[in-house]
Amino acid sequence: MRVTGMIPLCAVLFARFANGSAPATPLPEAVTTVLEESCMDCHDRKSHKGGLDLSALSKDIQDPSVRERWIRIHDRVDKGEMPPRSGEMSAADRQRLVTTLASAISNLDHREIAAAGRGPLRRLNRVEYERNLRDLLHLPYLEIRSMLPEDRESLRFCKTAGALDMSRVQLTAYLEAAAAALRKATVSTATPPPVTQYRAVGSRLFPGPGTFGTEKAMFFARANRAISRKEFEGRGKGEPYPLEQDADLELALFRSASWPYAGNPRGFLAKFEGEYRVRFSARAVVQLEGQRLEPALRSIAMTFRARKPTGVDVFGEVRATGGILDIQPERAVYETTVYLKEGESIEYSLLGLPMPLLTELKPNTAPVYRFPPFPEGGQPGAAFQFLEIEGPLPPAEWPPRSHRVLWDALAPGAVPGAPVEEARRLLCRFATLATGRSLGEEALAPFEALALARLEQGASFHDALLAAYQALLSSGHFLYVREPGPSAEPFAMASRLSHFLTNQRPDETLLQAARDGSLRAPGRLRAEARRLLEGPHFQAFVDDFTDSWLALRHLRRDEPDMRLYPEYRMDDYLVESMELETRAFFAALIRENLPASALVQADFVFANDRLASHYGLGGVSGSQVRKIPLPPGSPYGGLLTQASVLKVSANGTSTSPVVRGAWVMERLIGQPPPPPPPSVPAVEPDIRGAKTIRDLLALHTQSKECASCHSKFDPVGLALENFDVFGAWRSRYRGVSEGEKVCGIDRTGKDFAYTLASPVDPSGSLLDGTSFQNIHDLKRILAANPRQLGRNLIHQFTIYGTGTPVRFSERGHVEAILDACAKDGFRVRDLLLALIESPIFSSSLSTP
């Protein structure tokens, strides 16, 4: 069935608002008078210290960029940072300047909010669009985000209204993505695809008798001993392996999967896309010298990876599916559900094990791999006895729900007797399902006209109606999250709340509250927010918010330098565990209503076996991250020292107090440093190990201008220097030439050598003169100001939830929220719920 690829732009209704030239809004005379008396000596055309020339700076705060400059001036004067020396501005003049400037900016802010709302209309970003289509069409595995252009990031988020513009290119992409989703939702057969049942035992558990990484990486075993390769020799050309049906055989694996590893059961490919049930028998084992097996002392984590197993497709998509399973030492039968596309198979993927890579490849010879030395007690792995696959699993009813969303009771391929009337009915029904409300005849008219025009041109009933559906899903009715307000429809608030806390459109309960008006009742918005926080889609908020705020989307961006950090090379299990920890911690901040101080100081971590080992914690087994109390003296606990945060604020080769300090101050503390002057080079650590980072910083900050700026964030970064590029504790830096040499073989079978260079000095002094000796001291200092930590969280939630940062006139609302939450320690869920009930979230103009 074909869906039209391009709809004329006139068929898609996008409201465009022309902004006329607003009259100028000059600063009050009292502001300019104080500036001329107290500031011009340093900030005139001749001096312009810090790059600020007040004589040339426009006084028209109607211009947003000009207003932003004056807000920064207000803030620095208000904090006492400017003028920098006492006596240059009297207390009375300082108060007069701050009060008058704040009043002028706030009054203008209020007028703009009253006229046009807090910010521009916000388009769905590509993640939200995919999730909305998944929910609407009941297609939980729908993947269309890759068809849409990358959304621009602003203020760390891809939800900022000002950056989510709409162009012809984007509109075309949304149309094509909608068409792809509609094709996947529609079925054309009267019955579901046939179910395939597959069972593998013996040698069918693996493509062949060998794998990447030599016999130490994989072999078949019987009675806990590897069998000879000769037993796999066929009886003649084209004959099957003689051990295909040997149920006593075990497949023993001792390596993690990576390209070009292809450890899939032989002879299975998915004939149809869908969910497949996988059952298998396995046990955790250790391999001893001589390829002998013994029961392991702990579980081993595994997942399945979906891929097309042969040919050029080996370079294509490879993804984990079916979740992580912990294989126990006692033999047991495990079951999971994997999602496969047509032509895909599954491969065994053990986690956290060696990953031997190709060492030598010569013509007409077998490739050479080198397995790293066995750890003490043997090499952990898993032994499989049988594997069964069944699928695609049929839906509970046919046609599936995705089809019925589009066609109601119309059977696949059927054509109604009265196509025009049925097209109108189905279009009206689908529009209500898609938008959550009745659009009305006027709003539906363009889409109806499009469908009827296609029918008149000879298109099939299904193609004509799908064209209208496609246009609707690419129109402003579906693509935009509207600004709520006193006169806005209740659906706007329901949509904002749902896209904030679940990253998708409102569910039926929230929609009904919007329809009957109860969402406006006192306490109902808070009650709905609490329900969503406890619901199944809350994890989508956790994932997307931490992806942006804490840059988890970049967690895999910088590979570790194999010269300096060979132990991290291709350790996907560690990186995945880092991500799981931070997401679990952030979810706990909200669901357990932890105090804001936990951002920097906590007496627990969320860890699994791999992360516990990384943090030097013992007694933890299994792949599931869970809350673990920290022993006294541990440097971990809180976001500040989580491995994920420490990794994304490093570059894989070296750590920089400048980068880490600025990162922490901006994202966790909410005090971003100004951008560096364009002519000043960055501080590059000396990976030879010859110079300390403190020596390099001392050279960099010789000028007063550099020193004054760096003093705001470098000390925080220095306290974090005890953590390497992956967040592990260290007492000495590593180098490539200077210092004590360390040699060995890494987990990929490659030789490594690095040096232990100068010791780490994590001491420092903050801008206010407070000194610290180590990370423990810094944590106590930062945790002592929970109000600032809570304030930053409110600002981050506001940008993410409304698409617009806290405006100048709304700062009083933020302080009111903090005042209300102060007595309980600024607990995170309390802050979140108070924001949702505030005028900031509802776009109200009430006075703080």
Side-chain angles (χ1 to χ4, degrees):
M1 182 172 297
R2 184 179 62 85
V3 181
T4 181
M6 175 57 68
I7 307 298
L9 295 185
C10 61
V12 184
L13 300 182
F14 286 101
R16 291 188 176 271
F17 302 96
N19 292 321
S21 298
T25 304
L27 286 173
E29 185 177 344
V31 173
T32 57
T33 300
V34 173
L35 292 175
E36 288 173 358
E37 293 175 353
S38 303
C39 303
M40 284 299 183
D41 286 348
C42 295
H43 298 290
D44 60 4
R45 191 181 308 276
K46 182 179 180 180
S47 301
H48 60 274
K49 290 186 177 180
L52 176 61
D53 178 5
L54 289 174
S55 64
L57 180 59
S58 170
K59 309 301 188 294
D60 178 17
I61 57 174
Q62 186 74 43
D63 183 329
S65 61
V66 172
R67 190 187 320 171
E68 189 59 39
R69 293 288 303 275
W70 284 107
I71 289 175
R72 290 201 295 270
I73 291 171
H74 167 277
D75 291 345
R76 297 204 67 183
V77 173
D78 188 34
K79 294 175 182 176
E81 296 178 358
M82 288 293 166
R85 292 182 294 274
S86 62
E88 291 184 325
M89 180 183 292
S90 68
D93 282 347
R94 185 182 299 276
Q95 184 62 37
R96 182 156 54 104
L97 172 62
V98 168
T99 303
T100 306
L101 186 54
S103 177
I105 296 173
S106 292
N107 289 338
L108 177 58
D109 234 12
H110 277 289
R111 292 197 300 271
E112 290 184 348
I113 294 174
R118 293 187 65 252
L121 200 65
R122 185 174 83 77
R123 156 176 75 77
L124 296 176
N125 63 32
R126 63 182 196 155
V127 173
E128 293 171 318
Y129 190 69
E130 180 182 81
R131 287 187 59 84
N132 279 5
L133 288 180
R134 286 179 176 182
D135 180 65
L136 169 65
L137 301 176
H138 302 284
L139 295 172
Y141 298 102
L142 178 67
E143 296 178 356
I144 51 88
R145 77 177 65 176
S146 61
M147 301 177 65
L148 302 171
E150 285 274 1
D151 296 305
R152 288 194 297 135
E153 184 178 306
S154 176
L155 301 173
R156 293 172 297 283
F157 295 102
C158 295
K159 285 197 174 193
T160 309
L164 292 173
D165 53 357
M166 177 61 78
S167 66
R168 182 182 296 273
V169 171
Q170 287 165 318
L171 177 57
T172 300
Y174 275 104
L175 286 163
E176 292 174 348
L182 292 168
R183 281 195 299 268
K184 192 169 286 291
T186 303
V187 300
S188 58
T189 60
T191 58
V195 175
T196 297
Q197 292 186 331
Y198 170 91
R199 178 178 172 86
V201 296
S203 61
R204 288 178 62 83
L205 287 165
F206 212 71
T211 185
F212 302 101
T214 75
E215 288 80 2
K216 289 184 177 181
M218 170 268 164
F219 54 80
F220 284 97
R222 184 187 294 113
N224 292 319
R225 286 188 176 274
I227 65 171
S228 168
R229 283 282 188 110
K230 293 182 179 180
E231 296 189 52
F232 281 89
E233 295 176 358
R235 293 184 293 262
K237 185 176 181 180
E239 294 184 8
Y241 290 120
L243 301 177
E244 271 195 349
Q245 303 303 321
D246 189 342
D248 293 328
L249 216 58
E250 285 186 297
L251 163 65
L253 283 175
F254 302 95
R255 60 155 292 160
S256 291
S258 70
W259 184 92
Y261 176 87
N264 52 290
R266 186 154 43 89
F268 172 79
L269 289 178
K271 295 181 180 179
F272 301 94
E273 183 172 351
E275 292 183 325
Y276 288 75
R277 181 183 297 113
V278 177
R279 293 179 72 251
F280 61 96
S281 171
R283 62 182 178 128
V285 296
V286 291
Q287 178 188 172
L288 304 177
E289 294 293 345
Q291 296 175 9
R292 295 179 293 113
L293 302 182
E294 283 190 1
L297 297 178
R298 61 176 180 85
S299 62
I300 192 77
M302 75 158 292
T303 186
F304 288 103
R305 304 199 318 172
R307 75 181 310 164
K308 293 186 178 180
T310 58
V312 295
D313 286 320
V314 77
F315 294 98
E317 180 186 24
V318 178
R319 68 183 190 283
T321 182
I324 299 178
L325 304 167
D326 287 326
I327 309 302
Q328 303 298 326
E330 302 80 19
R331 181 174 301 284
V333 175
Y334 299 86
E335 183 174 307
T336 187
T337 301
V338 301
Y339 187 79
L340 300 177
K341 299 176 182 178
E342 182 182 353
E344 285 186 334
S345 185
I346 56 172
E347 63 184 22
Y348 314 92
S349 183
L350 303 183
L351 304 178
L353 298 187
M355 195 174 289
L357 299 180
L358 187 66
T359 301
E360 185 178 338
L361 182 62
K362 295 181 179 179
N364 304 318
T365 61
V368 177
Y369 295 86
R370 183 187 188 191
F371 204 85
F374 281 11
E376 184 178 352
Q379 174 59 52
F384 300 84
Q385 191 172 39
F386 74 79
L387 182 141
E388 297 172 344
I389 306 175
E390 179 184 14
L393 302 178
E397 51 187 333
W398 193 264
R401 294 180 70 186
S402 64
H403 184 91
R404 287 183 281 116
V405 167
L406 304 179
W407 310 108
D408 198 10
L410 194 65
V415 178
V420 173
E421 290 75 11
E422 185 67 357
R424 286 175 173 150
R425 183 188 75 82
L426 289 175
L427 178 59
C428 181
R429 173 182 176 273
F430 179 72
T432 301
L433 292 173
T435 64
R437 63 202 186 279
S438 176
L439 290 185
E441 293 184 6
E442 183 178 353
L444 274 177
F447 308 105
E448 182 180 301
L450 176 62
L452 299 184
R454 292 300 172 94
L455 285 173
E456 292 175 2
Q457 294 167 5
S460 70
F461 176 81
H462 289 81
D463 282 357
L465 199 52
L466 284 172
Y469 290 167
Q470 180 190 16
L472 179 68
L473 295 179
S474 306
S475 75
H477 299 295
F478 191 80
L479 263 182
Y480 282 87
V481 181
R482 282 168 169 72
E483 184 84 1
S487 59
E489 58 183 3
F491 180 82
M493 177 58 79
S495 182
R496 168 168 283 184
L497 181 66
S498 184
H499 283 97
F500 180 25
L501 298 183
T502 69
N503 220 29
Q504 67 180 40
R505 59 200 225 110
D507 62 13
E508 185 55 36
T509 301
L510 191 53
L511 283 175
Q512 186 56 44
R515 294 188 195 107
D516 62 25
S518 62
L519 193 57
R520 295 184 183 274
R524 182 61 186 272
L525 192 62
R526 172 179 282 257
E528 286 299 311
R530 291 177 69 99
R531 181 180 67 83
L532 295 179
L533 290 177
E534 297 300 325
H537 300 299
F538 171 65
Q539 189 62 41
F541 163 64
V542 171
D543 293 350
D544 195 59
F545 187 81
T546 53
D547 271 351
S548 298
W549 177 43
L550 301 175
L552 289 193
R553 66 162 63 101
H554 302 310
L555 192 56
R556 293 165 177 80
R557 179 179 57 190
D558 294 311
E559 292 292 328
D561 190 317
M562 68 182 69
R563 299 168 300 169
L564 295 171
Y565 299 100
E567 66 267 42
Y568 302 141
R569 191 179 186 192
M570 300 187 74
D571 195 346
D572 291 339
Y573 187 32
L574 174 58
V575 178
E576 183 174 344
S577 299
M578 294 176 181
E579 180 180 327
L580 292 173
E581 176 195 20
T582 300
R583 299 202 197 285
F585 181 86
F586 179 72
L589 282 175
I590 296 175
R591 282 186 161 163
E592 298 180 21
N593 204 18
L594 300 179
S597 59
L599 290 171
V600 295
Q601 187 178 48
D603 59 2
F604 64 90
V605 293
F606 281 86
N608 58 11
D609 51 2
R610 181 64 189 92
L611 201 56
S613 173
H614 189 60
Y615 288 163
L617 306 174
V620 179
S621 63
S623 63
Q624 301 302 309
V625 296
R626 62 270 199 194
K627 197 172 185 178
I628 297 172
L630 288 169
S634 172
Y636 295 101
L639 279 175
L640 182 65
T641 52
Q642 284 184 13
S644 65
V645 166
L646 295 163
K647 183 180 185 303
V648 297
S649 57
N651 65 10
T653 298
S654 59
T655 61
S656 166
V658 178
V659 175
R660 271 188 177 164
W663 196 99
V664 168
M665 293 302 294
E666 177 182 6
R667 295 182 187 250
L668 299 187
I669 311 302
Q671 296 176 343
S679 59
V680 178
V683 182
E684 297 293 342
D686 180 6
I687 66 169
R688 296 172 302 166
K691 294 181 180 179
T692 69
I693 189 66
R694 285 180 178 272
D695 294 336
L696 295 168
L697 280 175
L699 292 173
H700 181 78
T701 57
Q702 284 180 341
S703 75
K704 290 183 178 180
E705 184 176 353
C706 287
S708 63
C709 186
H710 277 261
S711 63
K712 298 177 182 178
F713 49 86
D714 281 1
V716 174
L718 286 169
L720 295 172
E721 281 295 277
N722 273 129
F723 303 92
D724 70 17
V725 296
F726 266 52
W729 182 262
R730 67 183 177 189
S731 57
R732 296 171 68 180
Y733 292 101
R734 292 186 183 183
V736 294
S737 60
E738 304 288 334
E740 177 186 344
K741 194 170 185 179
V742 178
C743 303
I745 302 173
D746 69 20
R747 60 195 306 273
T748 68
K750 305 292 185 182
D751 292 317
F752 69 81
Y754 59 83
T755 62
L756 294 177
S758 58
V760 174
D761 178 4
S763 64
S765 180
L766 299 178
L767 184 62
D768 63 2
T770 306
S771 61
F772 57 85
Q773 296 301 311
N774 50 42
I775 186 62
H776 300 286
D777 292 344
L778 180 66
K779 283 187 173 186
R780 285 193 291 270
I781 294 169
L782 297 178
N785 189 5
R787 188 180 184 97
Q788 178 57 33
L789 296 169
R791 181 182 292 114
N792 179 54
L793 278 176
I794 294 173
H795 279 262
Q796 305 304 324
F797 288 149
T798 299
I799 299 169
Y800 183 88
T802 71
T804 303
V806 173
R807 298 182 65 135
F808 187 87
S809 63
E810 295 171 331
R811 291 180 175 184
H813 294 305
V814 173
E815 298 309 310
I817 292 172
L818 292 169
D819 289 342
C821 297
K823 63 181 182 298
D824 290 324
F826 307 98
R827 294 186 176 273
V828 176
R829 187 180 63 207
D830 292 344
L831 295 171
L832 180 65
L833 294 176
L835 171 64
I836 289 171
E837 289 190 308
S838 76
I840 298 174
F841 197 76
S842 61
S843 298
S844 171
L845 286 172
S846 65
T847 304

